[in-house]
Structure formats: structure tokens, C-alpha cells
Amino acid sequence: MQIKTMAEYFANGETPEVLFWVGCAGSFDQRAQKITRAFAEILDKTGIRFAILGKEEACTGDPARRAGNEFLFQMMAYNNIQVLNNYGVKKIVTACPHCFNTIRNEYPELGGQYEVIHHTTFLQQLIDEGRIKIKEGGSFKGKKITYHDSCYLGRANNIYEAPRAVLETLDADLVEMKRCKSNGLCCGAGGAQMFKEEEKGTTRVNFERGREAVATGASVIAANCPFCMTMLTDGVKEAGKEEEVKVLDIAEIIAADMQ
Amino acid sequence: MQIVSQLLFVVALAAAIYVFSRRVMGIRRNILLGRDVALNDQPALRWKNLLLLAFGQKKMFRNPLVAVLHFFVYAGFLIINLEILEIIIDGVAGTHRIFAPFMGVVYGVLIGCFEILALLVAGGCLVFLLRRNVMKIRRFLSKDLNGWPRSDANYILITEIALMVLFLTMNTADQVLQSRGAAHYIQTDPFWISSHFTPLLAGLSDNALIAVERGAWWLHILGVLAFLNYLPFSKHLHIILAFPNAYYADLRPKGKMENMPAIQQEVLYAMQPELAASAPASDTVPKFGAKDIQDLTWKNLLDAYACTECGRCSAACPATQTGKALSPRLIMMKTRDRAEEVGRNKEADNKTLLRDYITEEELRACTSCNACVEECPVSINPLHIILQMRRHLVMEESSAPQEWNMMFSNIENNMAPWKFSPDDRDAWIH
């Protein structure tokens, strides 16, 4: 698979259809790298001309801002917006709801105006357009799948239906957890919690969520966020179900079963 | 005798209105202690929010059964004000049921409707009392409510039941008196609910009945006036402030954090020093984030006064549910307590909202998941307060957990929250 950077497109005087914003987790976290590869593969297979920023990409500043470090956030935003605007980027797709939220909602008033799409919405569009076709009787046939709403896609941006619509194209049995959609329970990683130990309590948020996901009896937990991925995987392990229950990103699920 | 009663009524009414408006002005002053923020854009959308969220109680219907009961209590409260209007005119003018002769049949229907509402209000309040005190519902058992907040809620419900019972008693006695043709008691059509209770009072003499009717009338209206003045000291203030709060609700996507233009400017000058030369000099040292009431916005303080302490926020909060110190409901209650304290004190005390009321541990436990914001039926945003206070901690006090400081320096040096080389950012390809 050949993946070109924005700089390469630019050097050839070309513009890609869309910029794939990989995000820090998607770039460095070993588990999240698999999501990144799966999504890049889908884009490649469907013949979409996409680019990444590569080494020019930097943290959006989301965890810094939510921890309270506005100065650092503004610095990251300034630099990213300079890079994006210099390349004349119009359309961005990302597999990280935190990057999605920051670039979509917080960059515009700092001078960065782009059409920003979360990869689950993008997958739904590709399915609707017939550019992605799902295999008959694929690897999820008859399996129970439960979907975890990430806070930054769900409540923060009101996207509940697109990821579900994508999963419904599979020949699987989609079941909901007790707390779902706008009532969904956080994975525990947002607001920069990913980067520090949890405060003392009776249990951890991801253990609670892991138990709830396992209680649905699903063999697959579908996630849409690399941070949820880490937290849920850990939660499932805590519930002692790591053998039976797999946590997969929607991009991985689609990549596995597309024609 | 009549004139004495009228005078007493006017005095009671005037005193109640005077005391109420003093308190309202005090609350207004406290809310305006907050920093200014413009929330007047998109009026059409704001009116829509007001109609849907405050009048329509849209969020309440996330739990339909409770919503219906609450709607009865709320509708009763609004509509019975028409009845109060008649009582006030009668009280001032010394008349009795002044609307009856003008309205004819309609009057009986109207009072009939009020009586049904009164019954529904009393029933609703009774169920709410049971929910709060007998049923084991976590958000009502929570220690957040220990002390005054718990009794406050019960006083309100008991008072509302008492007021409704007085209203029905008054009507029952009135109808017995009507049937006996007592002077002053205007003939009306039978009232729908109280007409079934007339046999209970039928054994009383005329004078005893008049005493019951007048007693209930006076207790009802004095109760209403007392309740009016209790309102602004209690969580029940939400029946008024839910309306402005819905109007001024945040219209931005929930994930969007408030920008800090001062810091944006700083970064711009740092990156493009040529712009700094032409920038107007400012001699005020800006404050970053919120340490006390004055650093929050007036909307945050309006939120605090609009909070009815129902605890839907905390029931949905992942931190509260997993036993952390954070409870969004307490964030709002403490903010209100502090606003009251600052409003009362003429001189500055040495306390602040941060630490004297809200601890760092509480602030740190928030995952910014927006569940509290989503749940609040009256458009309160506890998250906004938490995030502003986190800004104060990090930017004014450099107070952050060690792991966060590492995350900050990783972002600064490696462009990622982890310590990886930026050169490896595309290593996933291979």
C-alpha cells in the first residue's frame, strides 16, 4: 500500500480528495496503529486519493486544553493551522474523535476552517455510495456486536447513527448496552484522564464500562476511538473475558469484511 | 370588620412583594458578580430552547413517568395563578369570587379544572415525597443532599400539598354555604372535586363553616405569599430561573471549549513578533481561568441559582458513579453557596471557590464526557465551571499532576502526548 504525504502531493502540483488526520494515538500506539492501517487500507481499496501529513502532523492540543493548559493548546493549534492552510486543505477525515472535535469545533475561530469528518461517518458515506461493499456471510455473520459511543463523537457532536448504520450493513446482531447513545457511559479517558492515574474511587470507569459491555453477551465490542479502545480492552481483561470478547474499531471490522 | 380584613390583606400582600423583590435584587446582584459574556446571538434558536426545554420540559421526558407527574405539578403551579389573581382582587376589594358573575357556566368549569389540577399536584407531590424518602433512589440518598438541601426539598413538597388541600377545603365549605343560601356566598355550578366532599362538612353550623372557609382562604393566600418568599432561598427557584437559563443556554457543540482570546493573542505575538510591535499596550494583568465567583461567567452563576439539586447530572457522571470525589451537582451547589457568601460579605474574605469549596481532587476527576450537561433538564453546564477552574490550576498555579506535566512537555517537545520521536510518526506504514 502506497501512502503519500501532503508534501508529496504538493510537490507534484496535485491535490488529494481528503487529508487523513492520523492523530497521535493512531501514529504511535501499537494497538491504534492497526486501526490506522485498516482505515488506510479501506481508503486505498476504494480508490480514494488521500494524503497524510506524516512527520508534519502534530498533536491537536486536545489533552493540553482539557487539562487546563490553554497556552500549549494555542501553540499546537497555531502550528497545525499554519500547516493545513499552507497546503490549502479543505477536507479532513480522522479516526480519532478527539482530533475530530478539536479540528471541527475549536480550530475555526483560530483561523482553521475545514470540512472535518469522523471515519465512521466517512465509512457510512462510502457504503451509501456503493464504494464499499460488504461480503456476504463475512466473519461477523451471526455474531453479537455491541457498540460503545465515545463521548466526543456522541454527546459532544451528536453523532450516534452513522457508526450504527455502518455496523448494520454486516450480517451481525447489533445489541445495545444498558447505557448507550446520549446516556452512554464514558470509557474514562477523556478530559486528559488518559495521561494520568484515575482519582481514588470504588472502581475504575473503564472496569465499569467493560463489565457493562461484557454483560450484553456480545463477542465483539465496536469502538470508534483509540482511547476508548485502550480503556475497553483493559476493562474486558479485568472482567476476565479477553479470550471471548474482542474490542475492535469500526474501521477494522469493515476492513475485515469488505469485498 | 370588612375594611380591617381588606387592610390586613393589602399590608400582607405589599410586605410579601417588597421582601420578595429585595431578595430578587440581591440574587441579581450576586449573579452579576460573574464576568460578562455575550449570550444574545441566534434569538430564534434561543426562544426555541426556552419553549422546548423550559415550557415543554423536553429533557424531563428522558424519564416519562416522572416527567408526567412533574408536568402536573408544574402546570398546576402555573394555572392556579389565575385562581390566585381572583383571590388577590377579592382580598383587596372585599368581594367574594368576583369572576363568578361575569363568567357564568365557564366559572364552574374553570374552578373544576383547577380542582383536578390541585388533586394532581397533591398526588404528584405525594409520589415525589415517597420517591425521596421511602424509595431507595441513589441520587436522592446521596450525601450531596445531607442537611438543608434534603429538608428543603421536603418542605416544598409538604407545603404544596398543604396549599392544595386548603384550596379544596375552602371550596368545599363554600359550596355548603352556597347550598344554605348564606349571604355573600355567590351561587356557582358544583365544583368537580370538592362537591363530592360536602357531606363531610354538612354537620357544621353556618358560623363554623364561614370560619372554615375564611380560615382556609387566609391560610391559602398567606401560604402562597410565604412560599413566594421561601422560593428564592430554596432549590425551588428553578421554576423561575429555568426560563432564562434555557434562553441563555450554550448553543455551541458540547465538545467545544470556550476560547481564550488573550492567550491566543500571546501565542500569535510569540509566533509572529512583527505583529506585537503594533499591538496596543495593556496595563491590566489578565487572569487565566477561574479561582472564585468573579472569574466565572454570569451564566455559570445563573446556572448555580437555577439548579434544583435533582442530581440527574451526578447520576450520569462516570466519576460519581465510580466513587470519585466529584459530583457535578455539588459543583453547582457549592458555586451557589459561594456566590451567596460573596454577595453577603461587604468586605473581601480570604476564602475562594477553589479549595474552600471545590477541591483539586474533584476537578481532576472529570473526564469532560458531557453527561452532566446532557442530563440537566434546565440547561446547566457544570463542565464549564470545572474546565475554567482547571485552567486556573494549571496556568496560574502551575498545579498539575506529575503525569500531566510530562504529557505537556511531551506535546511541547515531541508534538505528541507520549515520548516518541516525531520522526516515527509515519512508522505505522511499514
Side-chain angles (χ1 to χ4, degrees):
Chain A
M1 180 173 49
Q2 198 63 28
I3 294 171
K4 288 206 282 183
T5 60
M6 210 64 212
E8 286 169 302
Y9 270 98
F10 198 72
N12 296 333
E14 297 170 333
T15 1
E17 264 178 74
V18 61
L19 170 72
F20 173 23
W21 183 278
V22 181
C24 300
S27 301
F28 295 115
D29 181 276
Q30 282 194 355
R31 177 66 188 87
Q33 284 178 343
K34 291 188 188 167
I35 306 171
T36 309
R37 271 186 229 116
F39 186 62
E41 237 171 71
I42 297 173
L43 293 176
D44 192 51
K45 258 190 172 173
T46 42
I48 288 167
R49 289 156 41 82
F50 73 99
I52 58 167
L53 280 176
K55 298 175 183 28
E56 286 186 280
E57 192 188 279
C59 173
T60 59
D62 160 82
R65 185 174 230 193
R66 265 141 266 268
N69 195 337
E70 181 74 3
F71 198 88
L72 183 52
F73 165 76
Q74 294 281 353
M75 275 186 2
M76 301 314 289
Y78 179 91
N79 282 323
N80 283 323
I81 291 168
Q82 295 289 313
V83 171
L84 291 167
N85 288 354
N86 279 342
Y87 285 127
V89 170
K90 299 267 183 312
K91 191 169 170 182
I92 301 174
V93 64
T94 177
C96 174
H98 295 268
C99 299
F100 166 73
N101 177 69
T102 301
I103 304 175
R104 183 200 209 193
N105 296 321
E106 298 183 350
Y107 279 12
E109 68 184 312
L110 309 177
Q113 312 260 1
Y114 323 99
E115 182 193 350
V116 192
I117 309 168
H118 185 252
H119 74 308
T120 55
T121 309
F122 200 67
L123 288 173
Q124 190 206 4
Q125 289 170 3
L126 293 175
I127 290 168
D128 289 351
E129 290 165 11
R131 293 171 82 172
I132 291 180
K133 288 198 175 62
I134 305 294
K135 278 186 234 164
E136 292 278 330
S139 48
F140 297 96
K141 187 181 164 72
K143 283 194 177 164
K144 248 190 194 178
I145 300 182
T146 189
Y147 168 69
H148 167 79
D149 288 280
S150 68
C151 307
Y152 274 77
L153 194 63
R155 276 188 294 266
N157 288 290
N158 277 319
I159 298 176
Y160 300 108
E161 292 313 320
R164 288 182 168 80
V166 171
L167 292 170
E168 274 160 14
T169 58
L170 302 167
D171 208 2
D173 177 16
L174 195 58
V175 289
E176 294 290 355
M177 288 182 240
K178 206 175 83 208
R179 286 169 280 196
C180 62
K181 298 185 182 170
S182 63
N183 294 321
L185 179 70
C186 182
C187 72
Q193 298 294 358
M194 183 74 192
F195 304 100
K196 69 167 181 57
E197 193 50 47
E198 253 182 63
E199 271 57 36
K200 229 175 69 200
T202 49
T203 182
R204 286 168 188 266
V205 178
N206 62 329
F207 291 177
E208 177 90 3
R209 190 54 163 172
R211 268 199 295 275
E212 192 166 85
V214 165
T216 60
S219 56
V220 176
I221 302 170
N224 67 46
C225 167
F227 298 108
C228 295
M229 170 64 70
T230 306
M231 300 307 262
L232 290 170
T233 307
D234 204 31
V236 170
K237 199 182 281 176
E238 160 71 16
K241 293 282 180 187
E242 51 190 315
E243 296 301 323
E244 301 99 301
V245 183
K246 294 273 164 279
V247 188
L248 296 171
D249 190 273
I250 290 183
E252 295 177 298
I253 293 173
I254 293 303
D257 264 17
M258 75 188 274
Q259 284 179 6
Chain B
M1 186 58 207
Q2 182 61 46
I3 193 78
V4 176
S5 155
Q6 279 170 261
L7 269 174
L8 281 176
F9 185 86
V10 171
V11 169
L13 185 67
I17 292 174
Y18 173 74
V19 175
F20 178 73
S21 47
R22 286 274 312 242
R23 172 66 181 155
V24 167
M25 293 313 287
I27 291 176
R28 193 186 130 81
R29 178 202 61 207
N30 291 355
I31 289 173
L32 293 178
L33 288 171
R35 69 184 165 88
D36 201 12
V37 54
L39 292 171
N40 289 312
D41 57 325
Q42 308 183 58
L45 190 54
R46 293 186 179 283
W47 280 108
K48 192 181 144 203
N49 276 347
L50 186 139
L51 287 173
L52 276 179
L53 296 167
F55 269 108
Q57 309 192 352
K58 184 176 157 212
K59 285 278 179 74
M60 289 295 289
F61 283 88
R62 286 167 82 85
N63 182 348
L65 188 70
V66 175
V68 168
L69 288 172
H70 184 268
F71 201 86
F72 289 154
V73 176
Y74 155 80
F77 201 91
L78 286 188
I79 297 169
I80 279 173
N81 282 314
L82 281 173
E83 169 70 18
I84 305 286
L85 182 71
E86 186 183 50
I87 290 182
I88 288 174
I89 297 175
D90 281 342
V92 174
T95 48
H96 185 72
R97 294 194 184 269
I98 190 162
F99 293 160
F102 302 111
M103 293 178 148
V105 191
V106 180
Y107 188 81
V109 173
L110 208 62
I111 299 291
C113 292
F114 291 165
E115 289 198 336
I116 289 178
L117 271 172
L119 212 59
L120 291 173
V121 170
C125 289
L126 205 63
V127 175
F128 288 156
L129 269 177
L130 291 174
R131 273 171 62 83
R132 275 186 183 270
N133 299 290
V134 181
M135 288 168 70
K136 303 257 177 290
I137 296 172
R138 237 170 107 185
R139 65 186 164 100
F140 296 135
L141 292 176
S142 162
K143 61 176 171 24
D144 289 5
L145 296 180
N146 284 352
W148 158 248
R150 196 179 304 280
S151 22
D152 177 25
N154 286 330
Y155 295 157
I156 293 162
L157 291 169
I158 292 165
T159 310
E160 288 194 41
I161 293 173
L163 289 176
M164 295 305 121
V165 169
L166 284 167
F167 173 65
L168 290 171
T169 310
M170 173 183 94
N171 282 354
T172 311
D174 195 297
Q175 287 183 94
V176 182
L177 286 162
Q178 284 181 35
S179 67
R180 294 183 190 172
H184 218 67
Y185 287 89
I186 292 166
Q187 288 295 327
T188 62
D189 287 338
F191 301 144
W192 297 350
I193 304 293
S194 55
S195 58
H196 298 290
F197 295 111
T198 45
L200 291 176
L201 298 180
L204 296 180
S205 68
D206 279 10
N207 281 340
L209 276 174
I210 291 174
V212 169
E213 195 276 334
R214 284 291 88 190
W217 188 91
W218 272 104
L219 282 173
H220 178 68
I221 190 65
L222 290 177
V224 167
L225 293 177
F227 199 56
L228 176 75
N229 277 295
Y230 179 76
L231 198 76
F233 292 95
S234 105
K235 76 185 206 82
H236 211 43
L237 191 55
H238 79 282
I239 63 160
I240 298 173
L241 293 186
F243 293 88
N245 225 47
Y247 184 84
Y248 293 115
D250 205 336
L251 301 179
R252 300 171 299 183
K254 287 194 194 67
K256 184 180 188 307
M257 265 180 83
E258 183 193 24
N259 191 31
M260 297 185 72
I263 291 184
Q264 189 189 344
Q265 203 60 248
E266 282 297 309
V267 168
L268 184 69
Y269 293 156
M271 301 295 189
Q272 292 171 270
E274 67 276 12
L275 294 176
S278 55
S282 159
D283 14 282
T284 51
V285 183
K287 282 204 274 186
F288 299 136
K291 186 184 190 185
D292 207 350
I293 296 304
Q294 294 88 342
D295 311 322
L296 295 172
T297 72
W298 61 261
K299 173 62 168 68
N300 296 144
L301 303 183
L302 178 64
D303 276 356
Y305 277 100
C307 176
T308 195
E309 301 162 11
C310 70
R312 284 175 174 80
C313 50
S314 296
C317 173
T320 315
Q321 288 179 65
T322 54
K324 313 288 175 346
L326 173 64
S327 161
R329 164 167 62 185
L330 266 181
I331 297 286
M332 300 320 299
M333 290 166 71
K334 288 169 174 176
T335 302
R336 173 173 162 158
D337 290 349
R338 177 61 186 156
E340 279 291 299
E341 186 177 57
V342 174
R344 259 196 319 271
N345 291 349
K346 295 232 163 43
E347 287 157 37
D349 52 14
N350 290 324
K351 290 191 193 168
T352 53
L353 180 63
L354 179 66
R355 297 208 177 81
D356 289 308
Y357 285 82
I358 298 173
T359 62
E360 278 180 74
E361 189 187 346
E362 289 169 80
L363 297 172
R364 296 278 189 243
C366 174
T367 66
S368 73
C369 76
N370 268 301
C372 54
V373 185
E374 181 78 43
E375 287 302 320
C376 183
V378 296
S379 318
I380 291 169
N381 190 334
L383 177 59
H384 191 210
I385 296 179
I386 294 171
L387 291 174
Q388 289 178 85
M389 294 183 81
R390 279 187 177 185
R391 281 176 168 169
H392 172 88
L393 283 173
V394 167
M395 290 192 285
E396 295 274 351
E397 301 187 12
S398 299
S399 156
Q402 184 51 29
E403 301 126 294
W404 273 5
N405 284 328
M406 270 157 56
M407 180 259 290
F408 294 153
S409 72
N410 286 333
I411 292 180
E412 220 171 317
N413 300 319
N414 306 326
M415 314 298 155
W418 297 286
K419 201 168 186 171
F420 289 107
S421 163
D423 279 341
D424 291 338
R425 205 172 246 280
D426 51 7
W428 58 270
I429 299 174
H430 313 294

